[in-house]
Structures are given as structure tokens and as C-alpha cells.
Amino acid sequence: MNKYLKLDKWNIIEEGFVHENVTSSESIFSIGNGRMGQRANFEEKYSGETLQGNYIAGVYYPDKTKVGWWKNGYPEYFAKVLNAANWIGINIKVDGEELDLNTSKVGKFKRTLNMLEGHLLRSFSATMQNKNTVEVNAQRFLSIVDDDLGLIKYAIKAVNFSGVISIAPYVDVDVVNEDSNYDEKFWDSITQSASDNEASITAKTKKTNFVVTTAMRYEIWKNGEKLELAPVASFRDKYAESMSEIKVAEGDELIIYKFATNVSSFNHNVSKLEEVAKLELNKAQNKHYDTMLEEQKQAWAAKWEESDITIEGDVEAQQAIRFNIFQLNQTYTGEDERLNIGPKGFTGEKYGGVTYWDTEAYCLPFYLATADKHVARNLLLYRYKQLNRAIENAAKLGFNSGAALFPMVTMNGEECHNEWEITFEEIHRNGAIAFAVYNYIRYTDDKEYLEDYGLELLIGISRFWSQRITYSENYKKYVMLGVTGPNEYENNVDNNWYTNTLACWTMDYTQEVLDHVKSVAPAKFKALSEKLNFTESVELARWTDISDNMHYPEDKELGVFLQQDNYLNKEQILVKDLDPKHRPINQNWSWDRILRSCFIKQADTLQGIYLFEENYDKETIERNFDFYEQRTVHESSLSPCVHTVLAAKLDRMDQAYDLYLRTSRLDLDDYNVEVHEGLHITSMAGTWMSVVQGFGGLRVNNGKVYLNPRTPKAWDSYSFKVRFRGSVLKVNASKNSVEVENQSSNDVSLVLFDKEYKVKGNDSLTINN
């Protein structure tokens, strides 16, 4: 853990320059706009340890898989969102010496991520080796209004000298990915140019042939007046700059406005990229910095209006939840169905920036409740449009007849995970995607999605389960062998309870959706049946037989569902009895020792109970929670949120609050000492789940909203909003009362503290505790 950030309701603040914190802060202070993102690298040169990172959504490279023994069906590559051109760079020289915080004496250093308004600020003084001192105030943002643009305002003041300041804004695509499997560079330049106050590079990715033009233009103002520049432009392969030298007297201040754009063939015609880039720069320069910053503030105000959670009485908790919401909103906007949410978002290279099941299991609930339904719909369409690839993935593993296995990791629908036990065995991801369809429908009631897309996807997944499950003569039951559940500290187990449960639920739900579509849209159903060669009576009979006769491991004496067959054969040591020097076990134990232990990386059986809690009484939930919480080491960022929700349901508020702080401040306080690699973006949605589903008790079932708010001891009150079928409810909860405001014209059926109410449009309901 590394707690060096100041507490503030709306800002993330770093005071004082500590070299060892640079890469961590580069992650924490990252900015993005859904179209691109950027780690909080310095504009000026920094010769110390740094992880340079600029990322463009949808642009990736298939890095050839590195394995010792190739297995049939093994993915050929691991897709990676590429480190793209550095567009923020501004080389500064003072009387010939480069400004570099690694070699300068740094004072008054302060960095602020303004989450309310969506911009990054940095200020410092630096005394260079030539004894000249400058003061710098830098601000930048990625526009969420004009999402191909990034803007920088960089002010530098001559504190104790008169002399010459050289200013050289540049673009540089001679960059590397730190996680490259074979130490390759992934970009080839096509053109580079620089003239007057502009520079531009057009480059192409190797293999995938994405083309990106990165261009910049700048102005320099001195003591409030715009200067007429006589810049010296230069360029070489993969690099272009424009340099201006300005004479300054002691006390003079220069302001550099840098306007930059990234336009890619993912969104534009290749032949038009350089033209589009110029148009974008014209737009930015014509609007200018202050106007675009004001637009940014207004756009972020609108986002906060729909997704903010307020917490009174606990600044630490308030800052944490806003940080998580802010990162989610700047990672994914939902405007492009081709995009998804990588575990690190735009903040680092780990996990390749690709799509995991995290999206459906953790992120979708956040977007369902906080954004217009098209945002969540686009996440589902992303999967539907990759259905053919999912069928190909299954075929590679020997499945047929349209069975679909969605990838564990993907950029384009093709499986690209490079660990066999994940690729071949962690098939529960299929169930998460099916459950996402159900979740979307219960929040939105968008039945047309089922008719046009959802049923086809569900049939593909159900066909996979039907073929993957076999009959055991020994058990006289159906079984699923050789799988890995969400707990990745187990491999190749038989009958993972969560996976078996989710598989049978999927086949049952598919039949329910099939009956609906058949009833309301028979022509569509007939056309789909013909397209899929769907033999209804035969396939449904098998699905029903499997669902009715599935084996679920259980210990009746303990009254718990077993994570998998033979789980109790393991030595049952509890987490509290582990020597602290062994934690985290994934950094201190051999993999063999981990696999033989009973310890659980993240919610597994409890993940299933969380999804289907309405099927279990409180006593069953409590027994399973008590059993598995004691064995869970929470060494996945995705784990604590599920335990928080269940602990709150069981009225264990102190435990729930402790788990909430762990999940919400995971990155801010660097619990796992790994934030330098990037933020845990997808698990940030779990922080929202912890508050809204955990403390707020939000559930959506049978066309109704259920609420059962509880207030942690450390909080005076809290509030959040929930979208439900065209309505918006605002929940204000305190220790003494709960108010539900219906901020729409539709009446909403609401169950509050187990009592049903109808809240009329634009009306409210208050219940005193």
C-alpha cells in the first residue's frame, strides 16, 4: 500500500515530487475520452523511470504468442492496444539546458486531476543545473465533445533570469510497447512533415494495417500577447517538431497552447486522414482553448448529473467512488458498438487493452443504471457482431452445429488469450454474456433486441453448453469436466458449481426467450430457425434434460455448495491463519502450491449466489458466505465487490464497509503495489456495485425496482441515481430516512424495505427508518 494522495471530494491531488511515485501517478492521473487515452506523462523531457502511454481505441496489434509447447487450438497471438504517437511532448530548453525534473531541483510540485471538470493540472518550480529557475503551470484535457482532439496549456515563467527559452512541441511515433513479446516496434511511418508551427506524422501498424495521423499546431503567448513566431521546423523518420526561441526577461511568462489530434482509419478513410487532421486542428484553434475547456466542463457536468454518487461524512469514500466513476466514464462512452472496455482502459499496457468477461459481469450493470440504454445495448451488440467468430472459436476446439464459445480475451472476436488453462477451460465467460442479455432486458424491457439479436446469440451459447456437458454413468447425472471457474487458483477441475449453474440457467433462459420470440415475432423466429438449422424439439429436449439432471457439488453436512468436486479434499486452512509474509500468495508461492491449496483468488461460488440470490434463502447465503469468505484472499481486483454486496445483504455492515474501501481505493492507495502498470478499470464498476447494490440494496426483478438501503457507520448519508425502463430514480438515504425521487414522467413500481409502492411521475416517496 502507498498512500500519498490528498483527500478531496472532487480532486485527486499529489503534493511534492517523489521520483519513486512517478509511474504510479502516471496511471492514477490518466485522462481519456472514450476515443483515446493518455497516461499522465510529463510534457517536457523526463529522463527518469517512466511508462509512456498514448492509446487509440480500436487500434491494436496481434503480438505472436510466446509459448513453450504449442497445443492444438491455441491462439496464435495476443492482441494489444498499441502505445501510439506521443502527442503531448514539448521539449523546453532554458539557455541551452533541457528542462528535466529528473535532474532539476523541484519545488512546489502539485498535480491535480479535476474529476468534476475533466482536466489535469500540474505545477512546479524547477531550478536547473545552470541555476536558472522556472515556474510551470500546465493543464491538459482530452475533449469528450470533440473526441479526436487533445489540448494543452503550458505556462512557463522565468523566475530569476533573463535569457532564451527554446520551445519545441513535437509528435513522435518512435515508441515501444513495454509488454511486446519479442521486443518489436509496432509502427511503420508513412509520412512525416513539419512547417511553421505545425507537425504531423502518418503511421501504419504492422500486420493489422491501421493508419493513424497524429498532428499538432501551437501558439505562444508572452505576458498575455500572442507572438508572431519564426519557428524552425524539422523532421526525421517517425518524428516531427517545430521549434521557437523566445527571449525572456526575469518575470516574463510564456504560454504555449498546443492543439493535437489523432485520427485513424478505424473511423476515417485512409486517403482523407491528413485532411481530416487539419480540419480538426482548425476547429480546435478557432474555438480555442478556453472555449473548449468550458465545453469540457459542461459535458462533464452532464455526465456527473446522471452518474454521480454523493457520500456525506466520509471524504475518503467520496473521493474513491468519484475516482472510479470518472475513470469508467472517460474509458467508455457507448457511442461506438465496435469498442469495449479493457481491464486497464487507457491507463497501461497490461492485459493488452482487450475485452474480457469483466465487461458483462461488472461494467454492464454500471452503464445500465447510469446511462441511456443505447450505451449498454452497444456493449451487447459488440458481442453479437462477433458471434460468427465465437462459432469459429468453438469449432477450433472440436464443437459443431453452430455452438458458440466467446473468447476469454479478444479484440475482434477471435480468441487471443495466451494461457491454456484460461483459453480452453475458463468457459464460464459464455454464461456471463448470456446473463448480460437477461440483465439488459430486465432493466430496459427492450424485447426487440431479443428478436433481432439476443435469441440468436443465446442459441449459440446454449448449443455450446449442450455439447460441452456430458453424462456420467457414475453419478447418473450430467457433468462438466475440466474447467476453470472465476477462481483462477484452480485449474482443470470437474463440476465447478458456478459454471454448472450458469450453463443450466442459460439453457433455461434461452427457452424462455425462444417462447417469447416465437409468440410475438413468428416470422422472425422461422427465419432464424432456418438460418441456424435449429431443430427445436430435439435441441430443447436435450437442454431440458441436462437442466433437470445436472450434478451440483454440495456438502449437505456443512450446508454449502462446493466450489467443485473434491474441494473438501484440500487442506482447509483459513486466510486468517496465513503468515502475513506469504501474502499475496501469487507473489510468494509456487503455482503448484497455490493449486493444491484451498485458497480462492476471487468470488466463485459466491459469484453465482450473487447472480441468483433470489433462488436462495438468507440462511443458505449466510452459510456459503461464511464458508468462502474465510478462504478468499481477494487477489483479484474483481473479488471484493461481490463480497461487499453479499455482506451488506447479510447486515454485516462493518465487514461490507471494509471490503468497499478495499475495492474503491485499490488504485488510489495501491493495495497490490502494481498501480504503476495501470488502473483496474473494469473492477471500478464493482465499486459502484458495492454502493448501489450493496449499501443501497438495489435489485431489479419482475418488472420492479427493489431497494433496501443501509448506511455505513462512517457515512451521514448518500445518494445515487438508477435508470429503469425510461425512468430515472434518485435515492437519498440516511440513517433515519430514505427518499426516492422519480425524476421522470413515468410511474414506477418500487419495493422499498419489502413493501411495494407506486411512485408517480415527478413525485417522491419518503420512508422514515
Side-chain angles (χ1 to χ4, degrees), residues 466-600:
S466 176
Q467 295 179 43
R468 185 61 171 78
I469 292 166
T470 55
Y471 189 76
S472 165
E473 289 293 342
N474 183 40
Y475 282 152
K476 304 300 181 186
K477 293 279 187 180
Y478 286 98
V479 295
M480 191 160 6
L481 309 178
V483 302
T484 297
N487 171 25
E488 292 170 340
Y489 289 174
E490 300 275 6
N491 293 158
N492 200 36
V493 303
D494 295 340
N495 294 306
N496 173 260
W497 182 87
Y498 169 73
T499 306
N500 285 13
T501 299
L502 206 48
C504 290
W505 173 87
T506 299
M507 290 183 284
D508 292 343
Y509 180 59
T510 302
Q511 294 189 61
E512 180 183 322
V513 171
L514 187 150
D515 289 342
H516 166 78
V517 174
K518 194 174 178 182
S519 172
V520 302
K524 288 183 178 179
F525 177 74
K526 184 174 184 294
L528 181 63
S529 295
E530 292 172 354
K531 174 184 176 181
L532 301 180
N533 294 317
F534 184 60
T535 54
E536 183 179 353
S537 60
V538 174
E539 295 192 58
L540 294 191
R542 176 165 172 80
W543 298 352
T544 300
D545 190 38
I546 291 172
S547 182
D548 289 345
N549 296 284
M550 191 69 186
H551 167 64
Y552 299 99
E554 181 179 6
D555 188 279
K556 294 189 181 298
E557 186 175 333
L558 292 173
V560 298
F561 307 123
L562 292 182
Q563 186 176 263
Q564 72 260 356
D565 284 352
N566 301 314
Y567 178 76
L568 289 180
N569 287 344
K570 293 171 175 281
E571 186 179 11
Q572 296 297 311
I573 303 172
L574 304 185
V575 173
K576 68 180 179 61
D577 298 322
L578 265 177
D579 189 327
K581 71 181 182 183
H582 292 174
R583 303 290 304 277
I585 62 173
N586 62 15
Q587 295 178 26
N588 290 287
W589 284 12
S590 69
W591 196 243
D592 170 74
R593 186 176 181 184
I594 289 173
L595 292 177
R596 287 186 287 106
S597 80
C598 71
F599 295 120
I600 298 167

Side-chain angles (χ1 to χ4, degrees), residues 311-323:
I311 298 172
E312 297 298 332
D314 189 343
V315 176
E316 190 174 31
Q318 177 67 88
Q319 181 187 50
I321 189 62
R322 282 185 172 143
F323 178 68

Side-chain angles (χ1 to χ4, degrees), residues 317-459:
Q318 177 67 88
Q319 181 187 50
I321 189 62
R322 282 185 172 143
F323 178 68
N324 286 268
I325 292 170
F326 176 76
Q327 293 294 346
L328 285 164
N329 278 330
Q330 68 171 2
T331 299
Y332 182 76
T333 63
E335 300 306 317
D336 191 333
E337 65 195 30
R338 298 170 300 169
L339 300 178
N340 210 282
I341 307 154
K344 296 291 183 187
F346 297 122
T347 70
E349 298 176 9
K350 193 173 181 181
Y351 304 116
V354 292
T355 304
Y356 283 69
W357 68 288
D358 307 19
T359 292
E360 286 78 20
Y362 298 91
C363 297
L364 184 73
F366 168 78
Y367 294 107
L368 277 173
T370 64
D372 185 80
K373 76 175 184 180
H374 81 275
V375 173
R377 197 177 209 262
N378 278 345
L379 285 175
L380 298 188
L381 287 175
Y382 174 90
R383 293 295 192 179
Y384 172 78
K385 294 196 171 184
Q386 295 179 354
L387 177 58
N388 286 338
R389 284 291 184 91
I391 292 171
E392 290 174 10
N393 291 335
K396 289 177 182 177
L397 301 185
F399 298 92
N400 52 46
S401 301
L405 175 60
F406 281 90
M408 186 66 181
V409 172
T410 193
M411 189 63 72
N412 60 6
E414 187 175 27
E415 177 64 74
C416 64
H417 199 285
N418 55 9
E419 295 176 23
W420 69 269
E421 67 274 14
I422 306 299
T423 303
F424 300 154
E425 295 187 350
E426 202 164 338
I427 55 179
H428 65 83
R429 72 237 191 196
N430 249 16
I433 292 166
F435 192 85
V437 173
Y438 166 74
N439 217 4
Y440 172 74
I441 297 302
R442 65 176 172 176
Y443 269 85
T444 67
D445 202 33
D446 180 9
K447 299 291 180 57
E448 286 187 7
Y449 168 82
L450 294 177
E451 299 162 21
D452 296 335
Y453 311 107
L455 178 58
E456 184 176 355
L457 181 144
L458 290 167
I459 287 174

